[in-house]
Amino acid sequence: MTGVPPTQKYNVSADVIVRALLADARFNLQIKGGYLRGGPCPECGKNELFTSMEKPWILKCSRENRCGWEENTIELLPDLFADFAKKYKPTEEEPNRTADAYLGLQRGFDLSKIRGWYEQEAFQDRSNGRMYSTIRFYLDEAKRTYWQRLIDPDEGVKKARFQGSYKGQVWTHPDFTLEEGERCMVVEGIFHAIALHHKDIKAAAALSCVNFPDAFIEQHKGKRIRWTIALDGDKAGKKYAKAHMKKLHAMGEKCEVLLLPEGQDWDDLYRAGKITKRFIDYCLYNGRLFLSETVNEKAYHYYARKRSRRFILDFDNMLFSIKVDAKLDKELYAIAANTEDDGDENKDDIALFELALLSPRGKDLFYSFCDVDKACSVVPEFLYMEYDEVMDEQFYVFKVRYGNGSKEKIISLEGTSISSPDAFHKTLLSKTNGGTFYGDSRCLKILCERWLDDDMLTVSSIPFVGYHKQLGAYVYQNHAYSNGKEIPLNDHGYFQLGKQGIKTSLSGVSVNTSGSFSPDWLENYVKVFNWQGLALLAYWLGTLFAQQIRAEQKTFPFLEFTGEPGAGKSTALEFCWKLVGRDDYEGFDIMKASMAGRRRAFNQLSNLPVVLIESDRDGGDRDAKARQLNWDELKAFYNGRSTGTLGIAKRGNDVEEHQFQASLVISQNAEVDGSEALLQRIVHCHVDKRHHKAGTRDLARWFERQTSDTVGGFLRAALQNEQKILKTYFEAFARLEQQYTSTDLKLERVVKNHAQIAACGYALAELFPAMTQERCQKLTQYLYERATDREDRLAADHPLVAQFWETYQYLNEERSTSAKDGWLNHSNEPTRIAINLNQYRDLCVSNGQELPDMKALKKLLQNSRKHKFLSKSESIYSPHLSKTIRCWVFECNYFK
């Protein structure tokens, strides 16, 4: 690639990543000096992306204060950091080639600093019999004890393996030595120790937080080594850090604890460029706070670093108010003034003051001038501000830790709850297990300033589940998905997507995102549900990306899925719901909902289907009639537009309008009728029993028995392959639209709709090996036939309406009656037809004609094509009856 520096200047791993970033159109980066710069930031949209060409492990936005977006290149380029065993196979000249690629690319290590420390080996997993390449590190010269890391392990396979016992031992690199008085970091993992070695920090890997390396420590007794316990900052790491400290004290060794921020480890920090002296000093300070045995001792360490006169500290899951008397400084300066000169001319008064404060005498003085009062019986840890996008409301969310041993609890408070000590006290009493606040207004002010600072995290609360268009992420109750990556719900009850926190407030629709997935059932699925069911499955997959498709193509079709009783329509729908995490659900019965409930049902889902079932029923009462659905009201959903307008209960003319973010499936026994514009938006599949054979019922029962736990992993598999599926879809659509256009199909919208679902069928191949080219082509042919039928349907009346006009023609003109010719038409105008439907019904009965469903007929007649509908219940003077009667009026096309 032109302009890329030679690999001699930067390490080979960095060069590979640089080339990949330059080739990625998402970032639009250019080489400027030793950096890649200029691409659009995914967070703020400004052309401020940059990364170092020497260490391209993190891509950042340069607007650090206003945006601050950053992401690991491992997350941005997942394909680059996968399949190392396939891409980098070992050779005779490079037997460690796979291991080198993994350590250089995945871990970001400089191979020139670590060559010879490891070997590439292989490991066979007993659970699946597969062989995996490994990176092996030996703990002894005889090479009998070792730790190895599997490269590219399958999901569920343990990544690391031990051989032999490492109790009391550590791993150090071959040239490792400890000199008199040096510091040695004791970390958990070998990669952690290597990361610190890159920063010229001596570290030994204990290989587990549980392992206390007493044998290694004994080897260095008498050297005054400062042992720094630097384990991970999680619960286990903290527990064993304290245990190791006690053992080191018992051995008479100098020791301290370095406490890492929770969720961070040394090799991540190394790649992010955050291992600095300042960072290590801060973590050592946190370690001192962590080890404090009394609130006074913790206050001393806090004051030694912060110099605050008044502050709040938590200790033993309670809050304490600390006041430090100003007389302390006078006493300390007096000690500093009397300190003997040690010959260091660089020490000023401040340095001498520091020495005085940190001396045993200074510590005792601090205790005597420090006043400690209990401020709160619990520790309310502020987590984030939750903003409800719909209600325009905000809440302050806290995690409450209890000193009385109760389980931690997350609570949401309104702003008024923290406006005064009394309000805060009452809120704690009502929302916690006995929490009380004893502090004054100054104490609460200190807390509020700490909680509500400029870096306060705001978490958006959305009232739906599924795709969030602005973030480009999928949000469910327990998992979110962003750029193909699964993100679990954090301990604070929300998803962290870069700098953005988000959660769903919807409780009425629960999506299980923890199910399993195997593609093996597709063959049997086609046997049971035939091409109609395969079209439904393809549509279901496309629905997961409906908004992305609408963004490119402006529309996404409706699917009408009808069927004969017992043909498997409900089984197919329920199974498809299980695929996306919903059990025992078929659809939404619109007849059971009010207008407001209807609108909310349409707004609950994003990139999931809204399925309307049995919506053609009519209860007969006035309220039910008022709730009857006019299908043409749904036409706007085709383009993802408004689901309805609702006034906001406040002054002004503001209204609330939600866009339709889902897809629409209509499943009922009767076929939908409506305007031509509506019918053009629908792809219709009718399920029948013609394909049923011996054994089909048994296969169908397997699909009935499945749950979201057994098949719901389909959702995860689809979202993790989002880019591949969309790429396949758009490529297939361009080809299929052209293919359909070259046939006798005439309506552009019909062509587009059926080509879209056929393209979704091709996208199924990304998840199902059994979705062969032949099967895709047969589905395409089936959908072509459906498109042809749709155009025929658009050119004719609904079958019930066609039957009505045939019967009318027979009764009114072809059958001889004692009445005058044309007596069913009560109109005086030759261009109009006026029919009293009660008379029509009576004459059908008396003349042996099939009586249609009059309730269904009344709906369908309004879309009559043979004779255009004009009005219903119009008062017409009948020349036949010499009186006025109520008639349905149509425009007569006999004279056109």
Side-chain angles (χ1 to χ4, degrees), residues 51 108 112 142 191 298 360 400 416 421 460 521 564 571 588 613 627 657 712 749 783 864 867:
T51 190
S112 67
F191 293 151
K298 190 170 185 178
V400 178
T416 54
S460 296
W521 47 260
E564 300 173 1
T571 302
F588 168 56
I613 57 174
R627 293 196 300 265
E657 276 194 318
R749 188 177 282 166
L783 287 165
S864 172
H867 300 287

Coordinates of all heavy atoms in Angstrom, one line a residue, residues 51 108 112 142 191 298 360 400 416 421 460 521 564 571 588 613 627 657 712 749 783 864 867:
T51 N -4.6 7.4 15.6 CA -3.9 6.4 16.3 C -2.4 6.4 16.0 O -2.1 6.9 14.9 CB -4.5 5.0 16.1 OG1 -3.9 4.1 17.0 CG2 -4.2 4.5 14.7
G108 N -0.2 -7.2 21.3 CA 0.5 -6.0 21.1 C 1.9 -6.0 21.6 O 2.5 -4.9 21.9
S112 N 10.6 -8.6 19.5 CA 12.1 -8.6 19.7 C 12.5 -8.6 21.2 O 13.6 -9.0 21.6 CB 12.6 -7.3 19.1 OG 12.2 -6.1 19.7
A142 N 13.7 -28.0 33.6 CA 13.5 -29.4 33.1 C 12.3 -29.4 32.1 O 12.0 -30.4 31.5 CB 13.3 -30.4 34.2
F191 N 1.0 -12.9 30.8 CA 0.9 -11.7 29.9 C 0.9 -10.4 30.6 O 1.4 -9.4 30.1 CB -0.4 -11.8 29.0 CG -0.4 -13.0 28.1 CD1 -1.6 -13.6 27.7 CD2 0.8 -13.4 27.5 CE1 -1.6 -14.6 26.8 CE2 0.8 -14.5 26.6 CZ -0.4 -15.1 26.3
K298 N -7.6 5.4 57.2 CA -8.0 5.7 55.8 C -8.0 7.2 55.6 O -7.6 7.7 54.6 CB -9.3 5.1 55.5 CG -9.7 5.2 54.0 CD -11.0 4.3 53.8 CE -11.3 4.3 52.3 NZ -12.5 3.5 52.0
P360 N 6.1 8.5 61.4 CA 5.3 8.0 62.5 C 4.7 9.1 63.4 O 3.6 9.0 63.8 CB 6.2 7.1 63.2 CG 7.2 6.6 62.2 CD 7.4 7.8 61.3
V400 N -26.6 1.0 46.7 CA -26.5 1.1 48.2 C -25.8 -0.1 48.8 O -26.2 -1.2 48.6 CB -27.9 1.3 48.8 CG1 -27.8 1.4 50.3 CG2 -28.5 2.6 48.2
T416 N -35.4 15.9 43.9 CA -35.8 16.5 45.2 C -35.3 15.6 46.4 O -35.2 16.1 47.5 CB -37.3 16.6 45.3 OG1 -37.9 15.3 45.0 CG2 -37.8 17.6 44.2
P421 N -30.7 17.6 53.6 CA -30.4 16.4 54.4 C -31.6 15.7 54.9 O -31.6 14.5 54.9 CB -29.6 17.1 55.6 CG -29.0 18.3 55.0 CD -30.0 18.8 54.0
S460 N -29.2 6.4 28.9 CA -30.5 6.6 28.3 C -31.4 5.4 28.5 O -30.9 4.2 28.4 CB -30.3 6.7 26.7 OG -29.6 7.9 26.4
W521 N -31.3 -28.0 12.0 CA -32.7 -28.3 11.9 C -33.4 -27.7 10.6 O -34.6 -28.0 10.3 CB -33.5 -27.7 13.1 CG -33.2 -26.3 13.5 CD1 -32.4 -25.9 14.5 CD2 -33.7 -25.1 12.9 NE1 -32.3 -24.6 14.6 CE2 -33.1 -24.0 13.6 CE3 -34.5 -24.8 11.8 CZ2 -33.4 -22.7 13.3 CZ3 -34.8 -23.5 11.5 CH2 -34.2 -22.5 12.2
E564 N -54.6 -22.7 6.2 CA -55.7 -23.6 6.5 C -55.6 -24.0 8.0 O -54.5 -24.2 8.5 CB -55.7 -24.8 5.6 CG -55.8 -24.5 4.1 CD -55.6 -25.7 3.3 OE1 -55.4 -26.8 3.9 OE2 -55.6 -25.6 2.0
T571 N -47.7 -23.0 14.5 CA -46.5 -23.7 14.9 C -45.3 -23.0 14.3 O -44.3 -22.8 15.0 CB -46.5 -25.1 14.5 OG1 -47.6 -25.8 15.1 CG2 -45.2 -25.9 14.9
F588 N -50.1 -10.5 18.4 CA -50.8 -9.5 19.1 C -52.3 -9.5 18.6 O -52.5 -9.3 17.4 CB -50.1 -8.2 18.9 CG -50.9 -7.0 19.3 CD1 -51.4 -6.9 20.6 CD2 -51.2 -6.0 18.4 CE1 -52.1 -5.8 21.0 CE2 -51.9 -4.8 18.8 CZ -52.4 -4.7 20.1
I613 N -52.7 -11.1 14.8 CA -53.4 -12.4 14.6 C -54.9 -12.2 14.8 O -55.3 -11.4 15.6 CB -52.9 -13.4 15.6 CG1 -53.1 -13.0 17.1 CG2 -51.5 -13.8 15.4 CD1 -52.8 -14.0 18.1
R627 N -63.1 -0.1 17.5 CA -61.7 -0.5 17.5 C -61.4 -1.2 16.2 O -60.2 -1.7 16.1 CB -61.5 -1.5 18.7 CG -61.5 -0.8 20.1 CD -60.9 -1.7 21.1 NE -61.5 -3.0 21.2 CZ -62.4 -3.3 22.1 NH1 -62.9 -2.4 22.9 NH2 -62.9 -4.5 22.1
E657 N -44.5 11.7 18.7 CA -44.7 10.8 17.5 C -43.6 9.8 17.5 O -42.4 10.1 17.5 CB -44.7 11.6 16.2 CG -46.0 12.2 15.8 CD -46.0 12.7 14.4 OE1 -45.0 13.3 14.0 OE2 -47.0 12.5 13.7
G712 N -33.0 -20.3 20.8 CA -32.9 -18.8 20.8 C -31.6 -18.2 20.5 O -31.5 -17.0 20.2
R749 N -43.3 -1.9 -7.1 CA -43.3 -2.1 -5.6 C -43.4 -3.6 -5.4 O -42.8 -4.2 -4.4 CB -44.5 -1.4 -5.0 CG -44.5 -1.4 -3.5 CD -45.6 -0.6 -3.0 NE -45.3 0.8 -3.0 CZ -46.3 1.8 -2.8 NH1 -47.5 1.4 -2.7 NH2 -45.9 3.0 -2.9
L783 N -41.2 -17.2 -4.5 CA -41.6 -15.8 -4.3 C -42.0 -15.1 -5.6 O -42.8 -14.2 -5.6 CB -40.5 -15.1 -3.6 CG -40.4 -15.5 -2.1 CD1 -39.0 -15.0 -1.5 CD2 -41.5 -14.9 -1.3
S864 N -64.1 -2.2 -3.5 CA -64.5 -2.8 -4.7 C -63.9 -2.2 -5.9 O -63.8 -0.9 -6.0 CB -66.1 -2.7 -4.8 OG -66.5 -3.1 -6.1
H867 N -67.1 -2.2 -9.4 CA -67.9 -1.0 -9.3 C -67.3 -0.2 -8.1 O -67.4 -0.7 -7.0 CB -69.4 -1.3 -9.1 CG -69.9 -2.1 -10.2 ND1 -70.2 -1.6 -11.5 CD2 -70.3 -3.4 -10.3 CE1 -70.7 -2.5 -12.3 NE2 -70.8 -3.6 -11.6

